[in-house]
Amino acid sequence: MKLASKYGEVVQESLNALLEDESFLPNFKEEERKKAFTSLESILSTPNQIQKSFLRVPLENGKVLRIPAFRVQHNNAVGPYKGGIRFHETVREDEVINLATLMTLKNTLHDVPFGGGKGGVVINPREFTEKELHTISKKYVHNFSDILGPDKDIPAPDVGTGEREMDWMMGEYKSIHPGRPYRGSFTGKSQVNGGSLGRREATGKGVYYTLRYMLHNFVNENEEWFKKNENRFAKTALNHTNRQLTVGIQGFGNVGSVAALESYTCNYLDTKVVAVSDRNVTLYNEEGLDIKALIEFTSQHEGDLPTTDEALSQSNIKAEIQDREDVLYLDTDVLILAALEEQIREDNVDKVKARMIVEGANGPVTLEADRKLSDDGVLIIPDILANAGGVIVSYFEWLQGRETQFYSEEEVFTMLFKKMKETMDNIYPQFFSDPFPLRQNCYIHSVMKLSNILYRHGKLY
Ligand code: NAD
C-alpha cells in the first residue's frame, strides 16, 4: 500500500528498515510480521478524521462569506490530538493532512503525550477587520465544537493566528460547554487567560538550541567522524571555534525573530546574523544585522521588516535591501528556515550554499531537495526535531491549566531544554554512527515508538 501524505514516503522507509530489524516487535514472525506491518502502514497513512466546514461570516460591509475551514485529526494513540490552526490563503486539505501527520510523529518523537492534529482556515487575515477575525475564530470553534476539547483535541496558534485568536476561541469553547473544564481546550493563550510564560519564544528558542547543541556539544565529541567526512557541514563545524559563524534566517515572525535574537545574543556559539527576510524583502549586512533594532521596528509595523532605505536610516539600521528569495542563496554557514513550507525544492536547491539548514518552519525543504542537500554533505536539522519547542511548552501550558499551578519563565525554559536535550541525545549519536540522515533517524525513532504503542493497544491484529 502506498502511503498518501508526503511524510508517508519517509514513514514507509522507516517501516521498511524496522521490518528487517527482528529485535523490533520480536513476537511477530514471517507472515504474521508482514500482516502487522501492513496494519501499521494503513494506520499511519490515513488520518482518523478529516472535517471540513464552511464558516458563515457576515462582514462589516454587509456581505456574507462562506469560508472553507478544516480540522484534521491524524492519530491519537499517544494522547489527545494536538496541533495549530492556520489562517492563510494557501491552506489546502492535503497540506493540513500532512501537517497533522507531522504532529503525530513530532509529539511521539519528543515523548509529548499528545496525538497529531491540525486546522486551517482559507483566508488572508490581513484582509479582515478585527471584528471579522473574532467572528471567524468563534465560528471555527462553533462548527468543530463536537471534536474539540481538553481531552479530545487541543488546538494552538500557527501561521496567521496568535494568542488573541486562542483567547477568543477558548472563550467560545467555554460558552458552548458551560460548567465543563475549558482551560486546557486551547494552548498559546495570553498569560492572563492561562497561557504559559515562555510559550511565544519557545519554538524559536528550541530551533536555535538544536543548532547550538549540535555544534557546541556534539562536534567536539565526534572529531573522528569529522576527520573522515570532509563534507560541507564537517568543514564548517570543525572550524566553528576559530571564527564567527554566519547565519541567514528566512521569516521574521514568531519563530524567525526569536531564533535571530538567540543567534544575536548567544554566549555558547559565536554566531552573526548577516541576513533576515520576510514576505517582502531580504535585509543583508555582512558585518551582522542589529537584530534588537529590527525586532523593535517590526513591533511597530505590523510585523514587517523595513522595505526602504529611508525606513532603515530612520531606525538607524545598516542593511542592504535585497529580493525576498535572496536569503536562501547567500553564502552563509547556517540557514534557518522559519517562514512557510516548500521553500527549497528541486528547482532551486542547486543555488543553496549554506552548510547547515535548520527547519524552524514545517516542511520548508522538499524531500527531493533534502536528498540532494544530504548527498552534498549539508546537515539538515529537520522540523520534527527542531521546531518542537512550541508544542512542548503547549504541553506545559495544558499541564498548568490542569494543576492551576504556574511555572516561572526560567522553569519553563529549563524544562523545555531538558526535554529537547533528551530527544537529541537519542538522535544525534546515531547520526554519527549510521548512514541515515537526521530526518530519517527521527522518523525511525518516532515510528518505532508509535508502533510499539499501537501494538500494546492491540491495534495490529
Ligand atoms: P508568523 O506568521 O509569525 O511569521 C511568518 C514569517 O514568514 C513572517 O515574517 C512573514 O513575513 C514571513 N513570510 C511569509 N511568507 C513568506 C514568503 N513567501 N517568503 C519569506 N517569508 C515569508 O509565523 P510563525 O509562527 O513564525 O511560523 C513560521 C513557521 O514555523 C510556519 O511554518 C509554522 O507552521 C512553523 N511553526 C511555528 C510554530 C510556532 O510556535 N509559532 C511552531 C512550530 C512550527
Side-chain angles (χ1 to χ4, degrees):
M1 181 191 302
K2 187 95 186 92
L3 292 168
S5 79
K6 79 177 165 197
Y7 294 101
E9 206 176 313
V10 264
V11 170
Q12 181 92 59
E13 284 171 17
S14 307
L15 284 172
N16 291 345
L18 289 168
L19 183 63
E20 303 298 310
D21 175 1
E22 290 193 357
S23 64
F24 173 69
L25 297 181
N27 294 347
F28 291 104
K29 308 269 186 233
E30 296 169 6
E31 277 311 299
E32 287 302 308
R33 191 167 179 79
K34 282 192 194 142
K35 278 189 216 157
F37 273 75
T38 309
S39 310
L40 281 172
E41 276 178 34
S42 21
I43 294 169
L44 296 177
S45 66
T46 40
N48 288 351
Q49 193 165 188
I50 301 171
Q51 286 221 356
K52 181 173 183 180
S53 181
F54 288 88
L55 314 181
R56 187 186 153 278
V57 180
L59 303 183
E60 291 200 69
N61 66 11
K63 279 192 203 155
V64 174
L65 290 186
R66 298 271 282 170
I67 299 172
F70 303 93
R71 188 73 193 165
V72 173
Q73 298 180 325
H74 175 257
N75 191 285
N76 63 349
V78 175
Y81 303 102
K82 180 105 192 73
I85 300 174
R86 180 173 291 197
F87 283 4
H88 200 271
E89 64 273 27
T90 61
V91 164
R92 291 190 328 259
E93 183 177 311
D94 58 340
E95 192 54 21
V96 185
I97 297 173
N98 277 325
L99 292 167
T101 312
L102 177 63
M103 286 306 295
T104 302
L105 297 166
K106 194 185 295 181
N107 290 334
T108 309
L109 178 71
H110 294 273
D111 284 326
V112 173
F114 290 133
K118 203 80 183 183
V121 180
V122 191
I123 53 161
N124 176 353
R126 287 173 185 264
E127 291 172 357
F128 292 82
T129 64
E130 186 170 344
K131 192 161 174 246
E132 290 161 354
L133 289 171
H134 176 237
T135 308
I136 292 167
S137 303
K138 279 175 44 169
K139 285 283 167 97
Y140 187 93
V141 179
H142 185 264
N143 288 24
F144 295 113
S145 70
D146 284 351
I147 60 168
L148 301 177
D151 291 307
K152 288 188 196 168
D153 184 347
I154 308 136
D158 195 81
V159 177
T161 53
E163 60 183 34
R164 181 184 66 173
E165 286 74 17
M166 295 306 112
D167 285 354
W168 287 335
M169 288 185 177
M170 191 192 80
E172 182 65 4
Y173 180 86
K174 188 169 183 249
S175 308
I176 296 174
H177 303 285
R180 297 244 298 270
Y182 60 89
R183 273 184 190 274
S185 56
F186 289 82
T187 61
K189 307 180 294 291
S190 67
Q191 274 158 41
V192 284
N193 202 22
S196 175
L197 287 165
R199 171 62 184 87
R200 192 188 64 77
E201 298 88 351
T203 307
K205 272 188 178 276
V207 164
Y208 190 77
Y209 183 55
T210 58
L211 166 73
R212 181 187 116 189
Y213 196 59
M214 170 60 85
L215 287 177
H216 191 63
N217 299 64
F218 273 84
V219 168
N220 297 340
E221 290 163 20
N222 291 279
E223 267 191 54
E224 284 310 305
W225 183 91
F226 286 99
K227 284 178 191 150
K228 273 191 273 160
N229 288 274
E230 284 242 321
N231 61 28
R232 263 157 86 171
F233 162 61
K235 280 187 204 151
T236 296
L238 272 184
N239 288 332
H240 88 273
T241 45
N242 306 333
R243 63 186 181 85
Q244 273 196 311
L245 285 175
T246 52
V247 181
I249 301 177
Q250 188 197 37
F252 204 71
N254 185 341
V255 181
S257 68
V258 174
L261 191 61
E262 290 289 293
S263 316
Y264 185 72
T265 52
C266 180
N267 294 325
Y268 298 88
L269 290 179
D270 194 4
T271 41
K272 170 170 77 171
V273 185
V274 294
V276 296
S277 79
D278 71 357
R279 67 196 180 97
N280 301 311
V281 284
T282 291
L283 298 178
Y284 177 75
N285 182 346
E286 68 173 333
E287 303 299 323
L289 291 162
D290 183 344
I291 298 301
K292 285 190 177 158
L294 286 169
I295 290 175
E296 176 64 24
F297 183 94
T298 52
S299 69
Q300 290 163 9
H301 295 84
E302 294 182 6
D304 286 338
L305 290 167
T307 53
T308 62
D309 287 328
E310 198 189 356
L312 282 168
S313 74
Q314 271 170 9
S315 305
N316 210 13
I317 297 167
K318 292 192 179 46
E320 193 183 301
I321 296 173
Q322 301 189 353
D323 288 346
R324 178 174 86 176
E325 293 254 302
D326 286 1
V327 69
L328 300 175
Y329 314 127
L330 293 168
D331 189 4
T332 56
D333 294 303
V334 181
L335 175 61
I336 298 176
L337 298 169
L340 295 173
E341 45 282 314
E342 299 194 356
Q343 296 303 297
I344 301 182
R345 305 165 303 270
E346 226 169 356
D347 60 299
N348 67 355
V349 63
D350 288 331
K351 293 198 265 172
V352 174
K353 300 193 191 79
R355 274 70 78 184
M356 286 181 76
I357 294 177
V358 191
E359 293 187 329
N362 288 318
V365 181
T366 66
L367 285 180
E368 296 75 22
D370 181 284
R371 285 196 188 108
K372 174 88 182 42
L373 289 164
S374 300
D375 289 347
D376 289 349
V378 177
L379 176 83
I380 303 175
I381 305 185
D383 45 15
I384 183 172
L385 181 61
N387 72 18
V391 74
I392 293 172
V393 174
S394 276
Y395 166 52
F396 300 155
E397 179 176 335
W398 181 78
L399 279 179
Q400 291 170 84
R402 298 207 145 200
E403 296 166 358
T404 50
Q405 182 100 34
F406 290 87
Y407 315 146
S408 71
E409 192 172 80
E410 199 188 333
E411 283 171 323
V412 168
F413 292 139
T414 305
M415 286 157 59
L416 167 67
F417 291 151
K418 181 169 177 283
K419 201 143 193 55
M420 292 192 80
K421 180 178 176 305
E422 279 164 10
T423 308
M424 288 187 284
D425 285 341
N426 271 330
I427 299 293
Y428 284 171
Q430 286 192 21
F431 171 73
F432 293 103
S433 64
D434 72 26
F436 292 115
L438 269 183
R439 191 186 305 276
Q440 188 63 28
N441 264 320
C442 292
Y443 281 111
I444 290 182
H445 261 82
S446 188
V447 168
M448 198 157 66
K449 282 191 209 168
L450 261 173
S451 305
N452 254 322
I453 290 166
L454 289 165
Y455 163 58
R456 282 165 193 280
H457 286 187
K459 301 281 171 154
L460 305 189
Y461 302 99

